[in-house]
Amino acid sequence: MGEPSAAPAALYRLLAWMSPAYPVGAFSYSHGIEWAVETGDITDLKSLVDWLGVVVAEGSGLADATFCAHAHRAVTAGDGTALAAVAELALAFQPTRERRLETSAQGNAFMAATEAAWPAAPLALVRASWPEAVAYPVAVGAATAAHGIGEATAVHSLLHAVAANLISAAVRLVPLGQTDGQRALVALEPVVGATAAAASSLALDDIGGHALRSDIASMRHETQYTRLFRS
């Protein structure tokens, strides 16, 4: 049998945290998509789905899902040493300055909002074990564990939120219609599910990245002549 469904209170919190309205500033980051649109890598629905499919399954999506899972386990076990190891690797794994800003700014904002509005004693382990910036997937993993939300549910929700945010950026940049944005989200559903499942069995030493064009896009974005997004 799979993980049981989240209790109503836990589901309520998870929906709030993964909502575009949660104050982490996700809307201001494109994860390199802005450069990919300018260079013609992403021009329509198909090319967007192809791009994001690689990012989610083989790039930062898989890595972030794995960081989220390990952070969740560390907080559940009350293991500050393990949590610090995840937090350190999640920052070190970022390939560019902009991607580090993207994950650390959102992670810090997520932690601040959650500690203020949704306090839970286990969240204190994050501050006690890691004094530096907190990567976004680590913050999500820690908060969901602190509030009793299951690991599989947390990881799947994180990946859905990431995919939805990047689709939202592409809808504005390509531009695509809102309906095509929803079609992209539908097309990515099996990719998100498979990636969430794969992340559950990965050790931290097994994490790697194969979305090189996305990493290059992040590097190129730093010197792009006109920019709407921060990454």
Side-chain angles (χ1 to χ4, degrees):
M1 295 180 63
E3 183 178 285
S5 300
L11 179 61
Y12 186 88
R13 295 166 192 176
L14 186 62
L15 291 172
W17 299 340
M18 297 295 103
S19 166
Y22 207 60
V24 299
F27 64 88
S28 63
Y29 300 95
S30 82
H31 207 74
I33 286 177
E34 186 164 18
W35 182 82
V37 171
E38 180 172 292
T39 58
D41 284 12
I42 299 175
T43 58
D44 55 15
L45 174 60
K46 182 182 182 304
S47 54
L48 172 64
V49 171
D50 289 345
W51 179 278
L52 291 182
V54 174
V55 170
V56 171
E58 303 178 41
S60 57
L62 178 59
D64 282 356
T66 307
F67 294 138
C68 180
H70 281 269
H72 190 286
R73 293 170 199 169
V75 171
T76 299
D79 189 340
T81 300
L83 183 59
V86 179
E88 181 177 21
L89 185 59
L91 289 180
F93 201 77
Q94 303 309 312
T96 65
R97 180 185 64 83
E98 288 199 354
R99 290 270 286 275
R100 182 183 175 98
L101 170 66
E102 181 177 336
T103 194
S104 61
Q106 290 186 69
N108 287 339
F110 186 97
M111 284 295 299
T114 306
E115 288 170 319
W118 311 85
L123 265 180
L125 185 66
V126 179
R127 303 302 189 188
S129 60
W130 184 247
E132 300 182 34
V134 181
Y136 179 62
V138 174
V140 172
T144 50
H147 284 265
I149 297 167
E151 177 190 316
T153 300
V155 172
H156 205 124
S157 298
L158 169 73
L159 285 172
H160 173 274
V162 169
N165 183 66
L166 297 185
I167 289 170
S168 176
V171 165
R172 287 171 276 169
L173 287 165
V174 172
L176 293 173
Q178 296 292 338
T179 300
D180 270 350
Q182 290 304 305
R183 291 189 179 111
L185 198 57
V186 170
L188 289 171
E189 181 179 350
V191 180
V192 166
T195 303
S200 67
S201 61
L202 280 181
L204 290 180
D205 288 343
D206 295 332
I207 299 176
H210 304 285
L212 298 181
R213 188 70 171 170
S214 175
D215 293 345
I216 292 171
S218 178
M219 298 173 192
R220 297 298 188 188
H221 187 263
E222 294 184 5
T223 57
Q224 198 166 332
Y225 182 68
T226 58
R227 303 190 344 175
L228 298 176
F229 292 85
R230 299 183 72 187
S231 72

